[in-house]
Amino acid sequence: MGVSVNHCMVDGRSVGEFLNSWGELARGLPLTIPPFLDRTLLKARKPTKVEFTHNEYAEIVDIWKNTTYLVQEEDFVFKLFAFDSIKLQELKAKAMEDGVLETCSSFEALTAYMWRARSRALKLHPDQITKLYFAVDSRDRLAPPLPRGYFRNGTIFMSALCSSSKLLENPISYSVQLIRNSIKSVTDSYIYKILN
């Protein structure tokens, strides 16, 4: 048995709930989370009005004009790195060691670490802008939140921008703050403005 999913229609959370529901029905159990199929909850508002900067769509200028060459021509070494709970705790502690952050999620710490590591590995020009692109689940960020079982794509793509020098010269807490600020900007009004 296999499942094929069109990500334009549904996101990972919807697919997970669908598969769990399918398993419940196959075992003769009642649905824990019935599907909510009203797709009009996230329809675009009219008239449209741009009120936010959407860095996720910003085109980044290659200062040296050779970043693409680096990615295509360099000999890359592929390795697998496992981040177990102990490594993640160490990474979070490192992100909080300068006292700027009181808390740090695993996502924030690992994402900031990887963003910095990639920028360092590419040996980017200090003024080169680098963009981190990631997905944020918008379901609980709407007022009111989307109903349980909402079967659609509730993911918003966000980004954080920073020059290579700022990213690498500052502590990891700086990178975490950039990521956190981007996530915090996903509000009800922001989400609906994306849909316009």
Side-chain angles (χ1 to χ4, degrees), residues 12-22 24 33-34 139 147-151:
R13 186 164 165 183
S14 290
V15 171
E17 289 175 353
F18 169 76
L19 292 174
N20 286 335
S21 295
W22 191 3
E24 288 172 339
I33 303 175
R139 286 170 171 78
R148 285 185 75 205
Y150 180 74
F151 193 73

Side-chain angles (χ1 to χ4, degrees), residues 3-158:
V3 176
S4 178
V5 176
N6 184 332
H7 220 318
C8 295
M9 300 298 290
V10 295
D11 57 17
R13 186 164 165 183
S14 290
V15 171
E17 289 175 353
F18 169 76
L19 292 174
N20 286 335
S21 295
W22 191 3
E24 288 172 339
L25 290 174
R27 292 189 312 268
L29 301 172
L31 290 179
T32 305
I33 303 175
F36 187 91
L37 302 175
D38 183 358
R39 301 177 69 80
T40 64
L41 291 181
L42 287 182
K43 66 181 180 181
R45 294 181 180 173
K46 294 182 182 180
T48 61
K49 184 179 178 184
V50 178
E51 294 181 15
F52 297 95
T53 301
H54 294 281
N55 289 329
E56 59 274 18
Y57 303 112
E59 189 170 330
I60 304 298
V61 176
D62 185 357
I63 292 175
W64 276 351
K65 310 269 188 245
N66 71 341
T67 306
T68 303
Y69 171 80
L70 283 172
V71 173
Q72 293 173 346
E73 300 298 325
E74 285 285 319
D75 289 330
F76 286 98
V77 176
F78 295 94
K79 292 188 177 186
L80 177 65
F81 298 94
F83 287 87
D84 58 18
S85 60
I86 294 169
K87 293 281 186 203
L88 286 173
Q89 287 298 351
E90 290 173 1
L91 202 53
K92 291 194 281 190
K94 175 113 177 110
M96 294 185 292
E97 72 183 1
D98 63 359
V100 172
L101 305 171
E102 291 182 19
T103 62
C104 183
S105 72
S106 295
F107 172 79
E108 292 168 336
L110 187 56
T111 303
Y113 178 78
M114 295 304 298
W115 187 17
R116 291 163 51 92
R118 179 187 182 275
S119 297
R120 187 174 289 112
L122 287 176
K123 300 176 184 157
L124 299 173
H125 184 283
D127 296 329
Q128 178 65 55
I129 299 297
T130 177
K131 177 172 31 174
L132 174 70
Y133 194 62
F134 56 95
V136 177
D137 187 354
S138 69
R139 286 170 171 78
D140 297 328
R141 296 174 183 276
L142 290 162
L146 292 174
R148 285 185 75 205
Y150 180 74
F151 193 73
R152 187 178 171 185
N153 196 337
T155 301
I156 301 294
F157 289 98
M158 298 300 293

Side-chain angles (χ1 to χ4, degrees), residues 101 108 112 115 130 132 134 159-163 166-167 170-185:
L101 305 171
E108 292 168 336
W115 187 17
T130 177
L132 174 70
F134 56 95
S159 68
L161 297 174
C162 187
S163 70
K166 279 189 179 179
L167 190 68
N170 283 297
I172 193 170
S173 61
Y174 179 81
S175 308
V176 169
Q177 283 290 80
L178 292 173
I179 295 165
R180 185 174 288 177
N181 291 341
S182 184
I183 293 169
K184 283 182 180 176
S185 71

